[in-house]
Amino acid sequence: MTHNTELFARAQGVIPGGVNSPVRAFRSVGGTPPFITSGAGARIRDADGKSYIDYVGSWGPLILGHADPDTVRTVQQAAARGLSFGAPTAGEIELAELLTRLVPSMEMVRLVSSGTEATMSAIRLARGHTGRDTLIKFEGCYHGHSDSLLVKAGSGMLTFGNPSSAGVPADLARHTLVLGYNDVGALREAFARSGDTIAGVIIEPVAGNMNLVAPAPDFLATLRELCTRHGAVLIFDEVMTGFRVGLTSAQGLYGITPDLSTFGKVVGGGLPLGAFGGRREIMEKVAPLGPVYQAGTLSGNPLSVAAGLTTLKKVQAAGFYEALADTARRFTEGLCAAAQRHGIPFSAQAVGGMFGLYFAATPPRNYAEVMAMDVVAFNRFFHAMLEAGVYLAPSAFEAGFVSAAHTPADIEATLAAADKAFSMLAK
Ligand SMILES: *Cc1c(COP(=O)(O)O)cnc(C)c1O
């Protein structure tokens, strides 16, 4: 038995599925997840001493790579001054000022401890601000695991949602309408029917939780226009895209100004931190200024703030995002070329430092197209790459990430492994 299999067996005795977040369990691809002992730069090492080039990056946060020395140092210095106070600190102001400067749509911001908390709080605020209950979300988008957001489409596209998890009251799911991503017609129809009851719309401006689905031209602009016309709060969930697709996040990239935004992942630099913010008039409804309650014992934790500040300072370096996008582009273009050499139906695309890999001839535009991809081919490819020392997300339905630590040599090594994996698939 390897150390990984021993650890996985032990973990399953005391942790549901052996993991603290479901996709880590490798259920989608099968097999035993490696237990990670350390990481540095673009690489991680597992309990059996095997090294991998990592394209998961802790599911997005590690834009500087693993154990970035500057981040580690500032976190150590913060830790030495005290782990938590539950009282205000100057670092929180510094991070809030930086966030409001980098994301001009956020005039005020509140720090929380996860992406889930950020989105949950943002939808409560949208409802509290408008005095309306109905929320629109899009099929295949993930916004964390709070009750109102664990909802899938009802039987008809314009019927209200059903819980997508046991334990979510149907009564609550009924307040969430689930529409197709990139479906401008359904969006217009939903607003025409019930625009005056819609509190808000929450969307991943680039969907990254159903593999990667890019927004169609006009989709986000139509959404903005309809929300404005009907007085609904537009929430961009930038937990994944924030400081990942570019320094101005997806809202800057596509030139759309949301009313509220949520952040997580990169903003915490690898430590637990999220944020939600937006127009002052809306944010002033948050307690203690206003009637919308929101709180957190560890919110604005000094270690998380230190990691976030260091990360957000470093990504502002000249050429940072150009280099990151270049790395992602070299990776996806190289993969497409390798697949083509072996006659495998495959496509890939990158938006800034995130990418999608598809066992389908063209990138998907919505959830149905994502679900139609060849999962069996992905799973074989995944295991061949893992064996060769390349750690991809263990599911065909996740986006992937590159970091500033991925060198041209890392990409070359990955593409050489991919060439072999595609040739195996062609047989
Ligand atoms: C990861 C993610 C979340 C949830 O964030 P957690 O920190 O895991 O709670 C919410 N929205 C999007 C778009 C995400 O990618």
Side-chain angles (χ1 to χ4, degrees):
M1 245 171 49
T2 67
H3 294 290
N4 287 326
T5 48
E6 257 172 56
L7 289 168
F8 194 38
R10 215 175 109 202
Q12 284 171 290
V14 284
I15 303 173
V19 293
N20 285 310
S21 197
V23 73
R24 299 178 196 170
F26 272 40
R27 290 287 171 107
S28 175
V29 290
T32 300
F35 277 63
I36 308 305
T37 53
S38 65
R43 287 171 193 268
I44 50 175
R45 184 176 292 277
D46 75 10
D48 290 318
K50 187 176 167 89
S51 167
Y52 307 85
I53 304 173
D54 178 25
Y55 290 94
V56 179
S58 189
W59 298 95
L62 301 182
I63 199 159
L64 303 175
H66 291 271
D68 170 65
D70 298 318
T71 309
V72 169
R73 193 181 58 252
T74 54
V75 169
Q76 283 172 335
Q77 288 167 348
R81 288 191 300 267
L83 299 180
S84 177
F85 307 109
T89 56
E92 293 161 78
I93 314 171
E94 212 186 315
L95 183 54
E97 284 174 347
L98 182 56
L99 285 169
T100 54
R101 182 165 67 73
L102 294 174
V103 185
S105 73
M106 295 205 296
E107 294 173 317
M108 296 183 101
V109 62
R110 173 152 288 173
L111 303 181
V112 295
S113 298
S114 70
T116 293
E117 268 187 88
T119 55
M120 178 184 78
S121 306
I123 63 168
R124 181 179 303 143
L125 180 54
R127 285 168 165 164
H129 174 70
T130 56
R132 303 171 181 175
D133 286 338
T134 302
L135 180 75
I136 290 182
K137 80 177 279 287
F138 296 92
E139 196 180 23
C141 285
Y142 175 69
H143 305 290
H145 63 91
S146 72
D147 284 352
S148 289
L149 295 167
L150 287 181
V151 176
K152 62 184 181 215
S155 48
M157 247 337 194
L158 289 175
T159 60
F160 283 88
N162 295 317
S164 64
S165 162
V168 173
D171 276 350
L172 191 59
R174 268 208 295 279
H175 294 293
T176 304
L177 183 57
V178 184
L179 303 179
Y181 200 84
N182 281 331
D183 189 343
V184 173
L187 193 59
R188 286 194 189 284
E189 201 177 330
F191 270 96
R193 275 199 202 183
S194 35
D196 59 347
T197 68
I198 296 169
V201 181
I202 187 165
I203 185 166
E204 289 182 75
V206 177
N209 285 285
M210 49 170 161
N211 206 315
L212 186 156
V213 175
D218 283 2
F219 179 58
L220 298 177
T222 304
L223 189 50
R224 175 65 278 177
E225 177 202 315
L226 288 168
C227 284
T228 304
R229 193 186 317 153
H230 293 272
V233 175
L234 177 57
I235 306 167
F236 267 17
D237 179 357
E238 300 236 38
V239 170
M240 186 183 289
T241 53
F243 307 103
R244 166 54 66 182
V245 299
L247 186 60
T248 59
S249 300
Q251 49 197 273
L253 187 65
Y254 296 101
I256 306 288
T257 305
D259 301 302
L260 292 177
S261 302
T262 58
F263 288 83
K265 299 195 169 111
V266 172
V267 284
L271 264 64
L273 189 134
F276 68 98
R279 278 164 44 203
R280 183 174 301 273
E281 168 208 6
I282 302 178
M283 289 302 288
E284 283 179 344
K285 300 261 171 70
V286 176
L289 283 188
V292 177
Y293 194 68
Q294 191 279 327
T297 301
L298 294 175
S299 292
N301 175 266
L303 276 61
S304 300
V305 166
L309 272 173
T310 305
T311 301
L312 292 186
K313 278 176 190 159
K314 289 186 78 168
V315 300
Q316 291 177 71
F320 181 91
Y321 284 100
E322 287 78 358
L324 191 74
D326 212 53
T327 300
R329 200 177 315 113
R330 255 205 316 276
F331 175 62
T332 52
E333 286 178 2
L335 284 178
C336 289
Q340 196 168 23
R341 279 198 294 280
H342 298 288
I344 307 288
F346 178 87
S347 51
Q349 67 183 334
V351 183
M354 61 192 275
F355 62 80
L357 312 179
Y358 321 102
F359 281 83
T362 52
R365 289 163 299 184
N366 55 43
Y367 185 69
E369 291 184 8
V370 170
M371 295 314 284
M373 294 184 319
D374 187 347
V375 178
V376 174
F378 171 83
N379 289 354
R380 291 180 64 204
F381 181 76
F382 168 83
H383 278 292
M385 295 296 274
L386 191 69
E387 181 64 30
V390 177
Y391 187 81
L392 298 170
S395 161
F397 307 112
E398 302 289 346
F401 307 97
V402 295
S403 76
H406 284 77
T407 62
D410 291 326
I411 302 299
E412 285 312 307
T414 305
L415 294 178
D419 190 77
K420 286 211 187 87
F422 283 126
S423 87
M424 178 272 297
L425 281 179
K427 280 174 194 144

